[in-house]
Short mmCIF file of all heavy atoms in Angstrom, two decimals:
data_model
loop_
_atom_site.label_atom_id
_atom_site.label_comp_id
_atom_site.label_asym_id
_atom_site.label_seq_id
_atom_site.Cartn_x
_atom_site.Cartn_y
_atom_site.Cartn_z
N THR A 1 138.47 -43.76 103.02
CA THR A 1 139.83 -44.16 103.30
C THR A 1 140.79 -43.34 102.46
O THR A 1 140.40 -42.58 101.59
CB THR A 1 140.04 -45.65 102.99
OG1 THR A 1 139.96 -45.85 101.56
CG2 THR A 1 138.99 -46.51 103.67
N SER A 2 142.08 -43.51 102.74
CA SER A 2 143.08 -42.80 101.96
C SER A 2 143.04 -43.21 100.49
O SER A 2 143.42 -42.42 99.62
CB SER A 2 144.48 -43.05 102.54
OG SER A 2 144.82 -44.43 102.47
N GLY A 3 142.58 -44.43 100.22
CA GLY A 3 142.48 -44.91 98.86
C GLY A 3 141.22 -44.47 98.14
O GLY A 3 141.06 -44.75 96.95
N GLY A 4 140.33 -43.79 98.85
CA GLY A 4 139.12 -43.27 98.23
C GLY A 4 137.88 -44.12 98.40
O GLY A 4 136.82 -43.77 97.88
N SER A 5 137.99 -45.24 99.11
CA SER A 5 136.82 -46.06 99.35
C SER A 5 135.91 -45.36 100.34
O SER A 5 136.37 -44.80 101.34
CB SER A 5 137.23 -47.43 99.90
OG SER A 5 138.02 -48.14 98.96
N THR A 6 134.62 -45.41 100.08
CA THR A 6 133.65 -44.71 100.92
C THR A 6 132.66 -45.68 101.55
O THR A 6 132.41 -46.77 101.05
CB THR A 6 132.87 -43.66 100.13
OG1 THR A 6 132.23 -44.28 99.01
CG2 THR A 6 133.79 -42.57 99.63
N LYS A 7 132.10 -45.26 102.65
CA LYS A 7 131.10 -46.02 103.37
C LYS A 7 130.09 -45.03 103.92
O LYS A 7 130.45 -44.01 104.49
CB LYS A 7 131.74 -46.82 104.50
CG LYS A 7 130.78 -47.68 105.30
CD LYS A 7 131.46 -48.31 106.50
CE LYS A 7 132.60 -49.22 106.09
NZ LYS A 7 133.24 -49.87 107.27
N TYR A 8 128.80 -45.35 103.75
CA TYR A 8 127.74 -44.46 104.18
C TYR A 8 126.80 -45.18 105.13
O TYR A 8 126.53 -46.37 104.98
CB TYR A 8 126.94 -43.94 102.98
CG TYR A 8 127.76 -43.15 101.99
CD1 TYR A 8 128.34 -43.77 100.88
CD2 TYR A 8 127.96 -41.79 102.17
CE1 TYR A 8 129.09 -43.04 99.98
CE2 TYR A 8 128.71 -41.06 101.27
CZ TYR A 8 129.27 -41.69 100.18
OH TYR A 8 130.02 -40.97 99.28
N ALA A 9 126.29 -44.44 106.08
CA ALA A 9 125.30 -45.00 106.99
C ALA A 9 124.01 -45.28 106.24
O ALA A 9 123.66 -44.58 105.28
CB ALA A 9 125.03 -44.03 108.14
N ASP A 10 123.29 -46.32 106.67
CA ASP A 10 122.04 -46.67 106.01
C ASP A 10 121.04 -45.51 106.01
O ASP A 10 120.27 -45.35 105.06
CB ASP A 10 121.41 -47.88 106.69
CG ASP A 10 122.18 -49.17 106.44
OD1 ASP A 10 122.96 -49.22 105.47
OD2 ASP A 10 121.99 -50.13 107.21
N SER A 11 121.07 -44.71 107.05
CA SER A 11 120.12 -43.62 107.18
C SER A 11 120.32 -42.51 106.15
O SER A 11 119.40 -41.72 105.90
CB SER A 11 120.19 -43.03 108.59
OG SER A 11 121.49 -42.54 108.87
N VAL A 12 121.50 -42.45 105.55
CA VAL A 12 121.78 -41.40 104.58
C VAL A 12 122.21 -41.94 103.23
O VAL A 12 122.43 -41.16 102.30
CB VAL A 12 122.87 -40.44 105.10
CG1 VAL A 12 122.42 -39.76 106.38
CG2 VAL A 12 124.18 -41.19 105.32
N LYS A 13 122.31 -43.24 103.11
CA LYS A 13 122.75 -43.84 101.86
C LYS A 13 121.81 -43.46 100.72
O LYS A 13 120.60 -43.52 100.86
CB LYS A 13 122.81 -45.36 102.01
CG LYS A 13 123.51 -46.09 100.87
CD LYS A 13 123.64 -47.57 101.18
CE LYS A 13 124.50 -47.82 102.41
NZ LYS A 13 124.68 -49.26 102.69
N GLY A 14 122.41 -43.06 99.61
CA GLY A 14 121.63 -42.67 98.45
C GLY A 14 121.39 -41.18 98.36
O GLY A 14 120.97 -40.68 97.31
N ARG A 15 121.63 -40.46 99.42
CA ARG A 15 121.43 -39.02 99.41
C ARG A 15 122.61 -38.28 100.03
O ARG A 15 122.48 -37.11 100.39
CB ARG A 15 120.13 -38.65 100.13
CG ARG A 15 120.02 -39.11 101.56
CD ARG A 15 118.60 -38.91 102.10
NE ARG A 15 118.52 -39.25 103.52
CZ ARG A 15 118.63 -38.38 104.50
NH1 ARG A 15 118.81 -37.09 104.24
NH2 ARG A 15 118.55 -38.78 105.76
N THR A 16 123.72 -38.97 100.14
CA THR A 16 124.91 -38.39 100.75
C THR A 16 126.12 -38.58 99.85
O THR A 16 126.25 -39.62 99.19
CB THR A 16 125.20 -39.03 102.12
OG1 THR A 16 124.07 -38.85 102.98
CG2 THR A 16 126.42 -38.38 102.77
N SER A 17 126.97 -37.60 99.83
CA SER A 17 128.20 -37.69 99.08
C SER A 17 129.31 -37.00 99.86
O SER A 17 129.10 -35.92 100.42
CB SER A 17 128.05 -37.04 97.70
OG SER A 17 129.28 -37.07 96.98
N ILE A 18 130.46 -37.63 99.92
CA ILE A 18 131.62 -37.01 100.56
C ILE A 18 132.75 -36.91 99.55
O ILE A 18 132.86 -37.73 98.64
CB ILE A 18 132.09 -37.79 101.81
CG1 ILE A 18 132.35 -39.27 101.47
CG2 ILE A 18 131.08 -37.67 102.93
CD1 ILE A 18 132.93 -40.06 102.62
N SER A 19 133.58 -35.92 99.73
CA SER A 19 134.68 -35.71 98.81
C SER A 19 135.83 -35.03 99.52
O SER A 19 135.65 -34.41 100.57
CB SER A 19 134.23 -34.89 97.60
OG SER A 19 133.79 -33.61 97.99
N ARG A 20 136.99 -35.14 98.93
CA ARG A 20 138.18 -34.50 99.46
C ARG A 20 138.78 -33.59 98.40
O ARG A 20 138.90 -33.97 97.23
CB ARG A 20 139.22 -35.54 99.88
CG ARG A 20 138.76 -36.45 101.01
CD ARG A 20 139.70 -37.62 101.17
NE ARG A 20 139.70 -38.47 100.00
CZ ARG A 20 140.50 -39.51 99.81
NH1 ARG A 20 141.40 -39.83 100.75
NH2 ARG A 20 140.42 -40.23 98.71
N ASP A 21 139.12 -32.40 98.80
CA ASP A 21 139.78 -31.43 97.93
C ASP A 21 141.21 -31.30 98.41
O ASP A 21 141.47 -30.62 99.41
CB ASP A 21 139.05 -30.09 97.97
CG ASP A 21 139.59 -29.09 96.97
OD1 ASP A 21 140.79 -29.13 96.66
OD2 ASP A 21 138.80 -28.25 96.50
N THR A 22 142.13 -31.95 97.74
CA THR A 22 143.52 -31.94 98.19
C THR A 22 144.16 -30.56 98.08
O THR A 22 145.01 -30.21 98.89
CB THR A 22 144.35 -32.96 97.40
OG1 THR A 22 144.27 -32.67 96.00
CG2 THR A 22 143.83 -34.37 97.64
N ALA A 23 143.77 -29.79 97.07
CA ALA A 23 144.34 -28.45 96.90
C ALA A 23 143.99 -27.56 98.08
O ALA A 23 144.82 -26.78 98.55
CB ALA A 23 143.86 -27.84 95.60
N LYS A 24 142.75 -27.65 98.54
CA LYS A 24 142.30 -26.84 99.67
C LYS A 24 142.43 -27.57 101.00
O LYS A 24 142.20 -26.98 102.05
CB LYS A 24 140.85 -26.41 99.46
CG LYS A 24 140.62 -25.53 98.24
CD LYS A 24 139.16 -25.15 98.12
CE LYS A 24 138.92 -24.26 96.92
NZ LYS A 24 137.49 -23.89 96.78
N ASN A 25 142.79 -28.85 100.93
CA ASN A 25 142.89 -29.69 102.12
C ASN A 25 141.58 -29.65 102.91
O ASN A 25 141.56 -29.42 104.12
CB ASN A 25 144.06 -29.27 103.01
CG ASN A 25 144.54 -30.40 103.91
OD1 ASN A 25 144.45 -31.57 103.54
ND2 ASN A 25 145.05 -30.05 105.08
N GLN A 26 140.49 -29.88 102.19
CA GLN A 26 139.17 -29.86 102.79
C GLN A 26 138.45 -31.17 102.57
O GLN A 26 138.68 -31.88 101.58
CB GLN A 26 138.33 -28.72 102.22
CG GLN A 26 138.82 -27.33 102.62
CD GLN A 26 137.90 -26.24 102.13
OE1 GLN A 26 137.06 -26.46 101.26
NE2 GLN A 26 138.05 -25.05 102.68
N PHE A 27 137.56 -31.47 103.46
CA PHE A 27 136.74 -32.67 103.43
C PHE A 27 135.29 -32.21 103.48
O PHE A 27 134.89 -31.50 104.40
CB PHE A 27 137.10 -33.55 104.63
CG PHE A 27 136.33 -34.82 104.76
CD1 PHE A 27 136.09 -35.63 103.66
CD2 PHE A 27 135.87 -35.24 106.00
CE1 PHE A 27 135.39 -36.83 103.79
CE2 PHE A 27 135.17 -36.43 106.15
CZ PHE A 27 134.94 -37.23 105.04
N THR A 28 134.51 -32.63 102.50
CA THR A 28 133.17 -32.07 102.32
C THR A 28 132.09 -33.14 102.40
O THR A 28 132.27 -34.26 101.91
CB THR A 28 133.06 -31.35 100.97
OG1 THR A 28 134.01 -30.29 100.92
CG2 THR A 28 131.67 -30.76 100.78
N LEU A 29 130.99 -32.78 103.02
CA LEU A 29 129.81 -33.63 103.09
C LEU A 29 128.64 -32.91 102.43
O LEU A 29 128.36 -31.76 102.74
CB LEU A 29 129.45 -33.93 104.55
CG LEU A 29 128.06 -34.54 104.81
CD1 LEU A 29 128.01 -35.96 104.27
CD2 LEU A 29 127.73 -34.51 106.30
N GLN A 30 127.97 -33.59 101.52
CA GLN A 30 126.75 -33.08 100.92
C GLN A 30 125.61 -34.04 101.24
O GLN A 30 125.75 -35.25 101.07
CB GLN A 30 126.90 -32.92 99.40
CG GLN A 30 127.94 -31.88 99.00
CD GLN A 30 127.90 -31.57 97.52
OE1 GLN A 30 127.01 -30.85 97.05
NE2 GLN A 30 128.86 -32.11 96.79
N LEU A 31 124.52 -33.48 101.69
CA LEU A 31 123.37 -34.27 102.08
C LEU A 31 122.12 -33.65 101.46
O LEU A 31 121.86 -32.46 101.64
CB LEU A 31 123.23 -34.32 103.61
CG LEU A 31 122.08 -35.13 104.19
CD1 LEU A 31 122.21 -36.60 103.82
CD2 LEU A 31 122.04 -34.96 105.71
N SER A 32 121.38 -34.44 100.74
CA SER A 32 120.18 -33.96 100.07
C SER A 32 118.93 -34.61 100.68
O SER A 32 119.02 -35.54 101.46
CB SER A 32 120.24 -34.25 98.57
OG SER A 32 120.31 -35.64 98.31
N ALA A 33 117.78 -34.09 100.26
CA ALA A 33 116.48 -34.60 100.73
C ALA A 33 116.45 -34.75 102.25
O ALA A 33 116.08 -35.79 102.78
CB ALA A 33 116.18 -35.93 100.04
N VAL A 34 116.85 -33.71 102.92
CA VAL A 34 116.96 -33.77 104.38
C VAL A 34 115.58 -33.80 105.03
O VAL A 34 114.59 -33.29 104.49
CB VAL A 34 117.78 -32.59 104.93
CG1 VAL A 34 119.20 -32.64 104.38
CG2 VAL A 34 117.12 -31.26 104.59
N THR A 35 115.53 -34.40 106.19
CA THR A 35 114.33 -34.48 107.01
C THR A 35 114.68 -33.98 108.40
O THR A 35 115.85 -33.83 108.74
CB THR A 35 113.80 -35.91 107.09
OG1 THR A 35 114.67 -36.70 107.92
CG2 THR A 35 113.72 -36.54 105.71
N PRO A 36 113.66 -33.74 109.24
CA PRO A 36 113.96 -33.30 110.61
C PRO A 36 114.85 -34.27 111.38
O PRO A 36 115.54 -33.85 112.31
CB PRO A 36 112.56 -33.20 111.24
CG PRO A 36 111.68 -32.84 110.10
CD PRO A 36 112.22 -33.62 108.94
#
């Protein structure tokens, strides 16, 4: 949300992180321990 609250799907919870870079106006997703 605009306030910074996050919500993750159960399938990726614990291995996912999202962030916003206001200077670059970018929205980033990081996902670890990926599977097929």
Side-chain angles (χ1 to χ4, degrees):
T1 69
S2 62
S5 298
T6 57
K7 182 187 299 182
Y8 300 93
D10 290 340
S11 60
V12 299
K13 191 174 298 182
R15 58 190 185 95
T16 302
S17 178
I18 54 175
S19 61
R20 297 168 296 175
D21 186 329
T22 57
K24 298 180 179 179
N25 203 31
Q26 292 184 344
F27 179 44
T28 300
L29 167 69
Q30 296 190 76
L31 181 63
S32 62
V34 298
T35 72

